[in-house]
Amino acid sequence: MTENTQQQTAPPSELPTQYAPAEVERPLYERWVERGYFEADEKSEKPPFTVVIPPPNVTGSLHLGHAFEHTLIDALTRRKRMQGYETLWQPGMDHAGIATQNVVERELAKEGKSRHDLGRETFIERVWQWKGESGGQISGQMRRLGDGVAWSRERFTMDEGLSKAVQTIFKKLHDDELIYRAERIINWCPRCLTAISDIEVEYQDDDGELVSMKYGDGDDTIVVATTRAETMLGDTAVAVHPDDERYQHLIGKQIKLPLTDRTIPVVPDTHVDPEFGTGAVKVTPAHDPNDFEIGQRHNLPSLTVMDERAVITAPGPFEGLDRLEARSAIVGALRAEGRIVAEKRPYLHSVGHCSRCKTTIEPRLSMQWWVKVGPLAKAAGDAVRDGRVKIHPQEMEKRYFDWVDNLHDWCISRQLWWGHRIPVWYGPNGEIVCVGPDEQPPTGEGWHQETDVLDTWFSSGLWPFSTLGWPEQTESLAKFYPNSVLVTGYDILFFWVARMMMFGLYAMDGTPPFHTIALHGMVRDQFGKKMSKSFGNAVNPLDWMDKYGSDALRFTLARGANPGVDVPIGEDWVQGSRNFANKIWNATRFALMNGATVEGELPPVEKMSATDRWILSRLNKTVAEVDANYEDFQFAKLSEALFHFAWDEVFDWYVELSKTTFFAGGEQAKVSGRVLGEVLDVMLRLLHPVVPFVTDTLWTTLTGGESLVVADWPADSGFRDEAAEREIELVQRVVTEVRRFRSDQGLQPGQKVPARLTLDGTALAPHEAAIRQLLRLQPEGEGFHATASLPVAGATVALDLSGTIDVEAERKRLTKDLGAAQKEVAQATAKLGNEAFLAKAPDNVVDKIRTRLAKAEEDIARINTQLGNLPES
């Protein structure tokens, strides 16, 4: 059991009759923050527990995905804090290069200006101004949710300390020849005018056209197909499989490229699938990643035929046309020459779009900065393989290895102004100098800094240690690195998680950034569909919190959180969680008004009733179950266990079974009041990490303690009483069976019925008063006539239903139900006896019929019993 400090039970009058989340949550959260509960002390001798917040974009606002992830992290950190750990939940925001620059550029556009009108320095000042005035609204929304983060440690990926970390690791990687500059194919956004990372590309099925066109003439003719006809102006070869007999005579030959004055070779390459299409593919090395690889293998030239805005630059009639205009014009010109063999439209195919502006991505050959990921990725894979880092659930390991074992070099440069500018200077004679944070850049005529900035993922990859002061060897770094666990979605396992693993192992001498990676799924609507504004099913979590309270939203999300599995959520479920919060409130208030207390020690076990011993035994089993599920990141299971313990066992059974004791008063009522106080104390502690607001309010009223945030986490005392559990299970069986019978007879729940209980010689005897109370059973009295007798759990409950039901109407209803059940049995039996049917029917169909048969046979037995129990009319 738990020990309590300041155990002066507040009077129940301090609790309003109804729980009003809007009146409780905001002031309570501010009180937690003001008292410094969420801060972490690096000088503490307590063991550390560290989690970083996946840094939301400075442009962002709280969405359901944030609310889901933050609920899980908050539950973990609140529990660890209660367990006595020096707990740090590190907050902060990402500068979000493209997104933030786009926001500020849109504001400038309203003024009729562009960033070029301001110049780089003035534009950057404007972005900082925007951040100060409008950015970071998500911080306030996190407070609304109840996030227990260390606000005094809040970091921003562009602040001075993190900027120093970025420059330090860039210099180190460059000096170790793990960063280099090269011309490669990248994802290019013609609207944002920058390279973008793979994660910033969204693929969707678009209606396009597949055009098959004829290259060469006469015997040297070959047909290729493409959805991007405009790129044919940059073709420098046609590739075929070296073993494809159809094209053996063409391999090595030069053929005419239509609409140009060039000829291009036919090259053999095993990348080509001879079974797909014509078995021949056009090769445009400057505008397709696969073609670039073919070009590298065959030393083909790379011709760039589009500028950064996707406008054709190739000399000729198509120069100056946008890519889509050029596509139509080129197909028309090829058709006029009789070179179009086939056209398929619409042709549905997957096309990449910029996640920020939705513009179609253009693969483009460009000079960029790259990280050589080979040795870094190997270290990231080894850390999981040798057990230094655990991935949970374990089945996600394969996806992790599939990614890190096949990583391509990472393009880290972006053609933006907002972000960490690459710390490289170019000299007048081709010199390249990388400058560290404590070094002076070269000066003099002709020297200039690289204009590109770094990919946002570069700085966020340093997050677990840069936020703790690295590259300085701070006390915080020594205390809180590595992080204990990373809680994040499986969708960014490959991007953010892999980068943190690579950088953490590299910068921190082989120490990984976290011990455990706990992956969760995505939030979906109640039908399992992805939430999206375009689908009309997107939900603002703030609306639900305003309507039902933050605890209700949090409990709904946690209750659906199975590791690595997507989480469906609907408003009805949030409303149900609101009802649960209300149930906790009302039942605790009732308990306080009827003697529940935490004052003094628990009474000796021998003074407790079986009901008291039962609930204490169930309480300790629940503590053990919740602990085990927390350690396994099974939030759904622990939430279900808490829900059923609180609602079913404490409120629906223990409180109800104890009412007669409380009403009778005396010594036994005091014993049960102390037991109930203990149960509520521990139950509220267990619930607190998931539903912090209502539990803290109730617990401080119950115990007079300071706050659940800094209270002790309950421990399983080891107390078990299997005999008491069996005894109360018998009581539950009796009550459940008689309630079912009453319902079947059409009796109202509150309708009182005379009854005789034969309980002598059973474990039920001490519980007669409670059983009568729960079942609304009156003493039998004079003229008692048992019209129904129910044998259950070794006892007999005889009921006098005279005058309480219309016997004839009830007999007709039951007879009708009996006929329907008998018909079901006949039909199912006939099907299961038909050998021809059984030979053809799928196993699941046969199983369903067998289940229906068993159910119908049970119904027949139940209805016959009910008919037999009816009084004579």
Side-chain angles (χ1 to χ4, degrees), residues 16 81 138 193 209-210 251 381 390 422 449 465 477 568 587 694 724 736 746 752 791 808 812 852:
R81 189 178 294 110
I138 195 171
L193 298 180
E209 59 179 346
L210 180 66
I251 293 175
K390 304 288 186 185
I422 290 176
Q449 186 179 357
F465 52 95
L477 189 65
V694 67
T736 301
K752 295 182 178 180
E808 277 308 310
K812 285 182 181 179
R852 281 166 40 199

mmCIF file with all atom_site columns, all heavy atoms in Angstrom, residues 16 81 138 193 209-210 251 381 390 422 449 465 477 568 587 694 724 736 746 752 791 808 812 852:
data_model
loop_
_atom_site.group_PDB
_atom_site.id
_atom_site.type_symbol
_atom_site.label_atom_id
_atom_site.label_alt_id
_atom_site.label_comp_id
_atom_site.label_asym_id
_atom_site.label_entity_id
_atom_site.label_seq_id
_atom_site.pdbx_PDB_ins_code
_atom_site.Cartn_x
_atom_site.Cartn_y
_atom_site.Cartn_z
_atom_site.occupancy
_atom_site.B_iso_or_equiv
_atom_site.pdbx_formal_charge
_atom_site.auth_seq_id
_atom_site.auth_comp_id
_atom_site.auth_asym_id
_atom_site.auth_atom_id
_atom_site.pdbx_PDB_model_num
ATOM 1   N N   . PRO A 1 16  ? -17.202 20.615  -6.527  1.00 0.00 ? 16  PRO A N   1
ATOM 2   C CA  . PRO A 1 16  ? -18.503 20.965  -7.101  1.00 0.00 ? 16  PRO A CA  1
ATOM 3   C C   . PRO A 1 16  ? -19.276 19.705  -7.465  1.00 0.00 ? 16  PRO A C   1
ATOM 4   O O   . PRO A 1 16  ? -18.705 18.632  -7.619  1.00 0.00 ? 16  PRO A O   1
ATOM 5   C CB  . PRO A 1 16  ? -18.129 21.772  -8.354  1.00 0.00 ? 16  PRO A CB  1
ATOM 6   C CG  . PRO A 1 16  ? -16.726 22.234  -8.118  1.00 0.00 ? 16  PRO A CG  1
ATOM 7   C CD  . PRO A 1 16  ? -16.076 21.191  -7.289  1.00 0.00 ? 16  PRO A CD  1
ATOM 8   N N   . ARG A 1 81  ? 8.532   10.436  -13.322 1.00 0.00 ? 81  ARG A N   1
ATOM 9   C CA  . ARG A 1 81  ? 8.727   11.467  -12.299 1.00 0.00 ? 81  ARG A CA  1
ATOM 10  C C   . ARG A 1 81  ? 8.175   10.972  -10.960 1.00 0.00 ? 81  ARG A C   1
ATOM 11  O O   . ARG A 1 81  ? 8.798   11.152  -9.906  1.00 0.00 ? 81  ARG A O   1
ATOM 12  C CB  . ARG A 1 81  ? 8.037   12.757  -12.735 1.00 0.00 ? 81  ARG A CB  1
ATOM 13  C CG  . ARG A 1 81  ? 8.348   13.962  -11.861 1.00 0.00 ? 81  ARG A CG  1
ATOM 14  C CD  . ARG A 1 81  ? 7.658   15.202  -12.386 1.00 0.00 ? 81  ARG A CD  1
ATOM 15  N NE  . ARG A 1 81  ? 8.171   15.620  -13.683 1.00 0.00 ? 81  ARG A NE  1
ATOM 16  C CZ  . ARG A 1 81  ? 7.494   15.530  -14.823 1.00 0.00 ? 81  ARG A CZ  1
ATOM 17  N NH1 . ARG A 1 81  ? 6.255   15.027  -14.819 1.00 0.00 ? 81  ARG A NH1 1
ATOM 18  N NH2 . ARG A 1 81  ? 8.012   15.924  -15.953 1.00 0.00 ? 81  ARG A NH2 1
ATOM 19  N N   . ILE A 1 138 ? 2.007   26.709  -31.271 1.00 0.00 ? 138 ILE A N   1
ATOM 20  C CA  . ILE A 1 138 ? 1.800   25.344  -30.783 1.00 0.00 ? 138 ILE A CA  1
ATOM 21  C C   . ILE A 1 138 ? 2.232   25.195  -29.330 1.00 0.00 ? 138 ILE A C   1
ATOM 22  O O   . ILE A 1 138 ? 1.725   24.342  -28.604 1.00 0.00 ? 138 ILE A O   1
ATOM 23  C CB  . ILE A 1 138 ? 2.536   24.330  -31.693 1.00 0.00 ? 138 ILE A CB  1
ATOM 24  C CG1 . ILE A 1 138 ? 2.036   22.911  -31.414 1.00 0.00 ? 138 ILE A CG1 1
ATOM 25  C CG2 . ILE A 1 138 ? 4.049   24.423  -31.525 1.00 0.00 ? 138 ILE A CG2 1
ATOM 26  C CD1 . ILE A 1 138 ? 2.538   21.884  -32.402 1.00 0.00 ? 138 ILE A CD1 1
ATOM 27  N N   . LEU A 1 193 ? 11.802  26.651  -55.565 1.00 0.00 ? 193 LEU A N   1
ATOM 28  C CA  . LEU A 1 193 ? 13.137  26.884  -56.127 1.00 0.00 ? 193 LEU A CA  1
ATOM 29  C C   . LEU A 1 193 ? 14.235  26.347  -55.209 1.00 0.00 ? 193 LEU A C   1
ATOM 30  O O   . LEU A 1 193 ? 15.216  27.029  -54.900 1.00 0.00 ? 193 LEU A O   1
ATOM 31  C CB  . LEU A 1 193 ? 13.354  28.380  -56.403 1.00 0.00 ? 193 LEU A CB  1
ATOM 32  C CG  . LEU A 1 193 ? 12.393  29.015  -57.423 1.00 0.00 ? 193 LEU A CG  1
ATOM 33  C CD1 . LEU A 1 193 ? 12.707  30.491  -57.605 1.00 0.00 ? 193 LEU A CD1 1
ATOM 34  C CD2 . LEU A 1 193 ? 12.438  28.266  -58.738 1.00 0.00 ? 193 LEU A CD2 1
ATOM 35  N N   . GLU A 1 209 ? -0.580  11.155  -69.360 1.00 0.00 ? 209 GLU A N   1
ATOM 36  C CA  . GLU A 1 209 ? -0.681  10.439  -70.629 1.00 0.00 ? 209 GLU A CA  1
ATOM 37  C C   . GLU A 1 209 ? 0.597   9.646   -70.845 1.00 0.00 ? 209 GLU A C   1
ATOM 38  O O   . GLU A 1 209 ? 1.686   10.097  -70.478 1.00 0.00 ? 209 GLU A O   1
ATOM 39  C CB  . GLU A 1 209 ? -0.907  11.407  -71.792 1.00 0.00 ? 209 GLU A CB  1
ATOM 40  C CG  . GLU A 1 209 ? 0.188   12.438  -71.967 1.00 0.00 ? 209 GLU A CG  1
ATOM 41  C CD  . GLU A 1 209 ? -0.064  13.355  -73.158 1.00 0.00 ? 209 GLU A CD  1
ATOM 42  O OE1 . GLU A 1 209 ? -0.918  13.012  -73.972 1.00 0.00 ? 209 GLU A OE1 1
ATOM 43  O OE2 . GLU A 1 209 ? 0.612   14.382  -73.254 1.00 0.00 ? 209 GLU A OE2 1
ATOM 44  N N   . LEU A 1 210 ? 0.462   8.455   -71.408 1.00 0.00 ? 210 LEU A N   1
ATOM 45  C CA  . LEU A 1 210 ? 1.605   7.625   -71.753 1.00 0.00 ? 210 LEU A CA  1
ATOM 46  C C   . LEU A 1 210 ? 1.727   7.641   -73.278 1.00 0.00 ? 210 LEU A C   1
ATOM 47  O O   . LEU A 1 210 ? 0.819   7.192   -73.986 1.00 0.00 ? 210 LEU A O   1
ATOM 48  C CB  . LEU A 1 210 ? 1.405   6.199   -71.246 1.00 0.00 ? 210 LEU A CB  1
ATOM 49  C CG  . LEU A 1 210 ? 2.547   5.223   -71.541 1.00 0.00 ? 210 LEU A CG  1
ATOM 50  C CD1 . LEU A 1 210 ? 3.801   5.635   -70.766 1.00 0.00 ? 210 LEU A CD1 1
ATOM 51  C CD2 . LEU A 1 210 ? 2.146   3.794   -71.190 1.00 0.00 ? 210 LEU A CD2 1
ATOM 52  N N   . ILE A 1 251 ? 22.352  -2.466  -80.751 1.00 0.00 ? 251 ILE A N   1
ATOM 53  C CA  . ILE A 1 251 ? 23.268  -2.125  -79.664 1.00 0.00 ? 251 ILE A CA  1
ATOM 54  C C   . ILE A 1 251 ? 24.565  -1.575  -80.234 1.00 0.00 ? 251 ILE A C   1
ATOM 55  O O   . ILE A 1 251 ? 25.208  -2.191  -81.103 1.00 0.00 ? 251 ILE A O   1
ATOM 56  C CB  . ILE A 1 251 ? 23.536  -3.343  -78.767 1.00 0.00 ? 251 ILE A CB  1
ATOM 57  C CG1 . ILE A 1 251 ? 22.256  -3.738  -78.005 1.00 0.00 ? 251 ILE A CG1 1
ATOM 58  C CG2 . ILE A 1 251 ? 24.664  -3.050  -77.762 1.00 0.00 ? 251 ILE A CG2 1
ATOM 59  C CD1 . ILE A 1 251 ? 22.387  -4.997  -77.184 1.00 0.00 ? 251 ILE A CD1 1
ATOM 60  N N   . GLY A 1 381 ? 22.936  0.898   -38.088 1.00 0.00 ? 381 GLY A N   1
ATOM 61  C CA  . GLY A 1 381 ? 22.403  -0.460  -38.150 1.00 0.00 ? 381 GLY A CA  1
ATOM 62  C C   . GLY A 1 381 ? 23.004  -1.353  -37.082 1.00 0.00 ? 381 GLY A C   1
ATOM 63  O O   . GLY A 1 381 ? 22.297  -2.130  -36.424 1.00 0.00 ? 381 GLY A O   1
ATOM 64  N N   . LYS A 1 390 ? 17.039  -0.615  -28.714 1.00 0.00 ? 390 LYS A N   1
ATOM 65  C CA  . LYS A 1 390 ? 15.906  -1.515  -28.951 1.00 0.00 ? 390 LYS A CA  1
ATOM 66  C C   . LYS A 1 390 ? 14.844  -0.778  -29.751 1.00 0.00 ? 390 LYS A C   1
ATOM 67  O O   . LYS A 1 390 ? 14.548  0.394   -29.470 1.00 0.00 ? 390 LYS A O   1
ATOM 68  C CB  . LYS A 1 390 ? 15.291  -1.979  -27.626 1.00 0.00 ? 390 LYS A CB  1
ATOM 69  C CG  . LYS A 1 390 ? 16.272  -2.647  -26.663 1.00 0.00 ? 390 LYS A CG  1
ATOM 70  C CD  . LYS A 1 390 ? 16.683  -4.017  -27.136 1.00 0.00 ? 390 LYS A CD  1
ATOM 71  C CE  . LYS A 1 390 ? 17.539  -4.724  -26.087 1.00 0.00 ? 390 LYS A CE  1
ATOM 72  N NZ  . LYS A 1 390 ? 18.046  -6.022  -26.577 1.00 0.00 ? 390 LYS A NZ  1
ATOM 73  N N   . ILE A 1 422 ? 25.380  27.167  -45.069 1.00 0.00 ? 422 ILE A N   1
ATOM 74  C CA  . ILE A 1 422 ? 26.500  26.229  -45.115 1.00 0.00 ? 422 ILE A CA  1
ATOM 75  C C   . ILE A 1 422 ? 27.805  26.977  -44.848 1.00 0.00 ? 422 ILE A C   1
ATOM 76  O O   . ILE A 1 422 ? 28.107  27.979  -45.510 1.00 0.00 ? 422 ILE A O   1
ATOM 77  C CB  . ILE A 1 422 ? 26.530  25.509  -46.482 1.00 0.00 ? 422 ILE A CB  1
ATOM 78  C CG1 . ILE A 1 422 ? 25.327  24.553  -46.572 1.00 0.00 ? 422 ILE A CG1 1
ATOM 79  C CG2 . ILE A 1 422 ? 27.841  24.744  -46.673 1.00 0.00 ? 422 ILE A CG2 1
ATOM 80  C CD1 . ILE A 1 422 ? 25.184  23.846  -47.897 1.00 0.00 ? 422 ILE A CD1 1
ATOM 81  N N   . GLN A 1 449 ? 30.733  33.452  -49.167 1.00 0.00 ? 449 GLN A N   1
ATOM 82  C CA  . GLN A 1 449 ? 30.181  32.262  -48.514 1.00 0.00 ? 449 GLN A CA  1
ATOM 83  C C   . GLN A 1 449 ? 29.175  31.575  -49.417 1.00 0.00 ? 449 GLN A C   1
ATOM 84  O O   . GLN A 1 449 ? 28.479  32.205  -50.228 1.00 0.00 ? 449 GLN A O   1
ATOM 85  C CB  . GLN A 1 449 ? 29.505  32.637  -47.184 1.00 0.00 ? 449 GLN A CB  1
ATOM 86  C CG  . GLN A 1 449 ? 29.040  31.416  -46.371 1.00 0.00 ? 449 GLN A CG  1
ATOM 87  C CD  . GLN A 1 449 ? 28.382  31.787  -45.046 1.00 0.00 ? 449 GLN A CD  1
ATOM 88  O OE1 . GLN A 1 449 ? 28.320  32.964  -44.692 1.00 0.00 ? 449 GLN A OE1 1
ATOM 89  N NE2 . GLN A 1 449 ? 27.907  30.795  -44.315 1.00 0.00 ? 449 GLN A NE2 1
ATOM 90  N N   . PHE A 1 465 ? 21.274  15.702  -28.535 1.00 0.00 ? 465 PHE A N   1
ATOM 91  C CA  . PHE A 1 465 ? 22.437  16.182  -27.784 1.00 0.00 ? 465 PHE A CA  1
ATOM 92  C C   . PHE A 1 465 ? 22.690  17.673  -27.952 1.00 0.00 ? 465 PHE A C   1
ATOM 93  O O   . PHE A 1 465 ? 23.205  18.327  -27.046 1.00 0.00 ? 465 PHE A O   1
ATOM 94  C CB  . PHE A 1 465 ? 23.698  15.381  -28.134 1.00 0.00 ? 465 PHE A CB  1
ATOM 95  C CG  . PHE A 1 465 ? 24.004  15.273  -29.605 1.00 0.00 ? 465 PHE A CG  1
ATOM 96  C CD1 . PHE A 1 465 ? 24.870  16.156  -30.226 1.00 0.00 ? 465 PHE A CD1 1
ATOM 97  C CD2 . PHE A 1 465 ? 23.452  14.250  -30.368 1.00 0.00 ? 465 PHE A CD2 1
ATOM 98  C CE1 . PHE A 1 465 ? 25.166  16.042  -31.573 1.00 0.00 ? 465 PHE A CE1 1
ATOM 99  C CE2 . PHE A 1 465 ? 23.739  14.134  -31.719 1.00 0.00 ? 465 PHE A CE2 1
ATOM 100 C CZ  . PHE A 1 465 ? 24.592  15.031  -32.322 1.00 0.00 ? 465 PHE A CZ  1
ATOM 101 N N   . LEU A 1 477 ? 24.406  17.576  -20.489 1.00 0.00 ? 477 LEU A N   1
ATOM 102 C CA  . LEU A 1 477 ? 24.779  16.529  -21.438 1.00 0.00 ? 477 LEU A CA  1
ATOM 103 C C   . LEU A 1 477 ? 25.253  15.290  -20.689 1.00 0.00 ? 477 LEU A C   1
ATOM 104 O O   . LEU A 1 477 ? 24.872  14.155  -21.035 1.00 0.00 ? 477 LEU A O   1
ATOM 105 C CB  . LEU A 1 477 ? 25.869  17.051  -22.377 1.00 0.00 ? 477 LEU A CB  1
ATOM 106 C CG  . LEU A 1 477 ? 26.242  16.158  -23.569 1.00 0.00 ? 477 LEU A CG  1
ATOM 107 C CD1 . LEU A 1 477 ? 25.066  16.013  -24.522 1.00 0.00 ? 477 LEU A CD1 1
ATOM 108 C CD2 . LEU A 1 477 ? 27.460  16.726  -24.300 1.00 0.00 ? 477 LEU A CD2 1
ATOM 109 N N   . PRO A 1 568 ? -7.631  4.570   -34.785 1.00 0.00 ? 568 PRO A N   1
ATOM 110 C CA  . PRO A 1 568 ? -8.874  5.222   -35.202 1.00 0.00 ? 568 PRO A CA  1
ATOM 111 C C   . PRO A 1 568 ? -9.465  6.024   -34.048 1.00 0.00 ? 568 PRO A C   1
ATOM 112 O O   . PRO A 1 568 ? -9.338  5.635   -32.886 1.00 0.00 ? 568 PRO A O   1
ATOM 113 C CB  . PRO A 1 568 ? -9.785  4.044   -35.580 1.00 0.00 ? 568 PRO A CB  1
ATOM 114 C CG  . PRO A 1 568 ? -9.302  2.912   -34.721 1.00 0.00 ? 568 PRO A CG  1
ATOM 115 C CD  . PRO A 1 568 ? -7.823  3.124   -34.519 1.00 0.00 ? 568 PRO A CD  1
ATOM 116 N N   . ALA A 1 587 ? -18.155 9.502   -8.570  1.00 0.00 ? 587 ALA A N   1
ATOM 117 C CA  . ALA A 1 587 ? -17.976 8.386   -7.645  1.00 0.00 ? 587 ALA A CA  1
ATOM 118 C C   . ALA A 1 587 ? -17.028 8.764   -6.503  1.00 0.00 ? 587 ALA A C   1
ATOM 119 O O   . ALA A 1 587 ? -17.247 8.382   -5.352  1.00 0.00 ? 587 ALA A O   1
ATOM 120 C CB  . ALA A 1 587 ? -17.439 7.166   -8.395  1.00 0.00 ? 587 ALA A CB  1
ATOM 121 N N   . VAL A 1 694 ? -8.247  15.829  -13.949 1.00 0.00 ? 694 VAL A N   1
ATOM 122 C CA  . VAL A 1 694 ? -9.312  15.417  -13.039 1.00 0.00 ? 694 VAL A CA  1
ATOM 123 C C   . VAL A 1 694 ? -8.726  14.632  -11.863 1.00 0.00 ? 694 VAL A C   1
ATOM 124 O O   . VAL A 1 694 ? -9.170  14.770  -10.720 1.00 0.00 ? 694 VAL A O   1
ATOM 125 C CB  . VAL A 1 694 ? -10.406 14.605  -13.779 1.00 0.00 ? 694 VAL A CB  1
ATOM 126 C CG1 . VAL A 1 694 ? -9.889  13.270  -14.267 1.00 0.00 ? 694 VAL A CG1 1
ATOM 127 C CG2 . VAL A 1 694 ? -11.632 14.412  -12.883 1.00 0.00 ? 694 VAL A CG2 1
ATOM 128 N N   . ALA A 1 724 ? -10.952 -14.350 -1.160  1.00 0.00 ? 724 ALA A N   1
ATOM 129 C CA  . ALA A 1 724 ? -11.887 -13.225 -1.209  1.00 0.00 ? 724 ALA A CA  1
ATOM 130 C C   . ALA A 1 724 ? -12.314 -12.947 -2.646  1.00 0.00 ? 724 ALA A C   1
ATOM 131 O O   . ALA A 1 724 ? -13.491 -12.627 -2.903  1.00 0.00 ? 724 ALA A O   1
ATOM 132 C CB  . ALA A 1 724 ? -11.245 -11.982 -0.595  1.00 0.00 ? 724 ALA A CB  1
ATOM 133 N N   . THR A 1 736 ? -25.477 -10.833 -11.323 1.00 0.00 ? 736 THR A N   1
ATOM 134 C CA  . THR A 1 736 ? -25.544 -10.755 -12.782 1.00 0.00 ? 736 THR A CA  1
ATOM 135 C C   . THR A 1 736 ? -26.663 -11.638 -13.329 1.00 0.00 ? 736 THR A C   1
ATOM 136 O O   . THR A 1 736 ? -27.434 -11.219 -14.208 1.00 0.00 ? 736 THR A O   1
ATOM 137 C CB  . THR A 1 736 ? -24.190 -11.165 -13.403 1.00 0.00 ? 736 THR A CB  1
ATOM 138 O OG1 . THR A 1 736 ? -23.163 -10.294 -12.908 1.00 0.00 ? 736 THR A OG1 1
ATOM 139 C CG2 . THR A 1 736 ? -24.231 -11.076 -14.923 1.00 0.00 ? 736 THR A CG2 1
ATOM 140 N N   . GLY A 1 746 ? -38.790 -8.313  -18.280 1.00 0.00 ? 746 GLY A N   1
ATOM 141 C CA  . GLY A 1 746 ? -39.307 -6.976  -18.561 1.00 0.00 ? 746 GLY A CA  1
ATOM 142 C C   . GLY A 1 746 ? -39.423 -6.085  -17.350 1.00 0.00 ? 746 GLY A C   1
ATOM 143 O O   . GLY A 1 746 ? -40.118 -5.062  -17.393 1.00 0.00 ? 746 GLY A O   1
ATOM 144 N N   . LYS A 1 752 ? -38.904 -2.923  -7.380  1.00 0.00 ? 752 LYS A N   1
ATOM 145 C CA  . LYS A 1 752 ? -38.661 -3.801  -6.251  1.00 0.00 ? 752 LYS A CA  1
ATOM 146 C C   . LYS A 1 752 ? -39.509 -5.061  -6.360  1.00 0.00 ? 752 LYS A C   1
ATOM 147 O O   . LYS A 1 752 ? -40.672 -5.009  -6.775  1.00 0.00 ? 752 LYS A O   1
ATOM 148 C CB  . LYS A 1 752 ? -38.937 -3.077  -4.949  1.00 0.00 ? 752 LYS A CB  1
ATOM 149 C CG  . LYS A 1 752 ? -37.966 -1.918  -4.700  1.00 0.00 ? 752 LYS A CG  1
ATOM 150 C CD  . LYS A 1 752 ? -38.220 -1.239  -3.372  1.00 0.00 ? 752 LYS A CD  1
ATOM 151 C CE  . LYS A 1 752 ? -37.206 -0.122  -3.141  1.00 0.00 ? 752 LYS A CE  1
ATOM 152 N NZ  . LYS A 1 752 ? -37.430 0.563   -1.846  1.00 0.00 ? 752 LYS A NZ  1
ATOM 153 N N   . PRO A 1 791 ? -31.608 -21.181 -9.273  1.00 0.00 ? 791 PRO A N   1
ATOM 154 C CA  . PRO A 1 791 ? -30.433 -21.747 -8.603  1.00 0.00 ? 791 PRO A CA  1
ATOM 155 C C   . PRO A 1 791 ? -29.162 -21.157 -9.245  1.00 0.00 ? 791 PRO A C   1
ATOM 156 O O   . PRO A 1 791 ? -28.983 -21.234 -10.461 1.00 0.00 ? 791 PRO A O   1
ATOM 157 C CB  . PRO A 1 791 ? -30.545 -23.250 -8.897  1.00 0.00 ? 791 PRO A CB  1
ATOM 158 C CG  . PRO A 1 791 ? -31.335 -23.324 -10.164 1.00 0.00 ? 791 PRO A CG  1
ATOM 159 C CD  . PRO A 1 791 ? -32.212 -22.110 -10.242 1.00 0.00 ? 791 PRO A CD  1
ATOM 160 N N   . GLU A 1 808 ? -49.372 -13.500 -19.472 1.00 0.00 ? 808 GLU A N   1
ATOM 161 C CA  . GLU A 1 808 ? -49.755 -13.986 -20.806 1.00 0.00 ? 808 GLU A CA  1
ATOM 162 C C   . GLU A 1 808 ? -48.941 -13.310 -21.904 1.00 0.00 ? 808 GLU A C   1
ATOM 163 O O   . GLU A 1 808 ? -48.492 -13.952 -22.850 1.00 0.00 ? 808 GLU A O   1
ATOM 164 C CB  . GLU A 1 808 ? -51.261 -13.763 -21.033 1.00 0.00 ? 808 GLU A CB  1
ATOM 165 C CG  . GLU A 1 808 ? -52.138 -14.838 -20.444 1.00 0.00 ? 808 GLU A CG  1
ATOM 166 C CD  . GLU A 1 808 ? -51.722 -16.226 -20.883 1.00 0.00 ? 808 GLU A CD  1
ATOM 167 O OE1 . GLU A 1 808 ? -51.535 -16.452 -22.106 1.00 0.00 ? 808 GLU A OE1 1
ATOM 168 O OE2 . GLU A 1 808 ? -51.539 -17.088 -20.017 1.00 0.00 ? 808 GLU A OE2 1
ATOM 169 N N   . LYS A 1 812 ? -46.357 -15.152 -24.497 1.00 0.00 ? 812 LYS A N   1
ATOM 170 C CA  . LYS A 1 812 ? -46.432 -15.029 -25.959 1.00 0.00 ? 812 LYS A CA  1
ATOM 171 C C   . LYS A 1 812 ? -45.093 -14.572 -26.541 1.00 0.00 ? 812 LYS A C   1
ATOM 172 O O   . LYS A 1 812 ? -44.628 -15.074 -27.566 1.00 0.00 ? 812 LYS A O   1
ATOM 173 C CB  . LYS A 1 812 ? -47.530 -14.034 -26.331 1.00 0.00 ? 812 LYS A CB  1
ATOM 174 C CG  . LYS A 1 812 ? -48.936 -14.586 -26.172 1.00 0.00 ? 812 LYS A CG  1
ATOM 175 C CD  . LYS A 1 812 ? -49.982 -13.550 -26.601 1.00 0.00 ? 812 LYS A CD  1
ATOM 176 C CE  . LYS A 1 812 ? -51.394 -14.083 -26.410 1.00 0.00 ? 812 LYS A CE  1
ATOM 177 N NZ  . LYS A 1 812 ? -52.412 -13.058 -26.800 1.00 0.00 ? 812 LYS A NZ  1
ATOM 178 N N   . ARG A 1 852 ? -23.705 -20.010 -35.018 1.00 0.00 ? 852 ARG A N   1
ATOM 179 C CA  . ARG A 1 852 ? -25.135 -19.670 -34.949 1.00 0.00 ? 852 ARG A CA  1
ATOM 180 C C   . ARG A 1 852 ? -25.935 -20.815 -34.326 1.00 0.00 ? 852 ARG A C   1
ATOM 181 O O   . ARG A 1 852 ? -26.873 -20.593 -33.550 1.00 0.00 ? 852 ARG A O   1
ATOM 182 C CB  . ARG A 1 852 ? -25.652 -19.357 -36.353 1.00 0.00 ? 852 ARG A CB  1
ATOM 183 C CG  . ARG A 1 852 ? -25.286 -17.958 -36.830 1.00 0.00 ? 852 ARG A CG  1
ATOM 184 C CD  . ARG A 1 852 ? -25.508 -17.771 -38.315 1.00 0.00 ? 852 ARG A CD  1
ATOM 185 N NE  . ARG A 1 852 ? -26.724 -18.394 -38.799 1.00 0.00 ? 852 ARG A NE  1
ATOM 186 C CZ  . ARG A 1 852 ? -26.956 -18.683 -40.085 1.00 0.00 ? 852 ARG A CZ  1
ATOM 187 N NH1 . ARG A 1 852 ? -26.027 -18.408 -40.986 1.00 0.00 ? 852 ARG A NH1 1
ATOM 188 N NH2 . ARG A 1 852 ? -28.085 -19.225 -40.453 1.00 0.00 ? 852 ARG A NH2 1
#
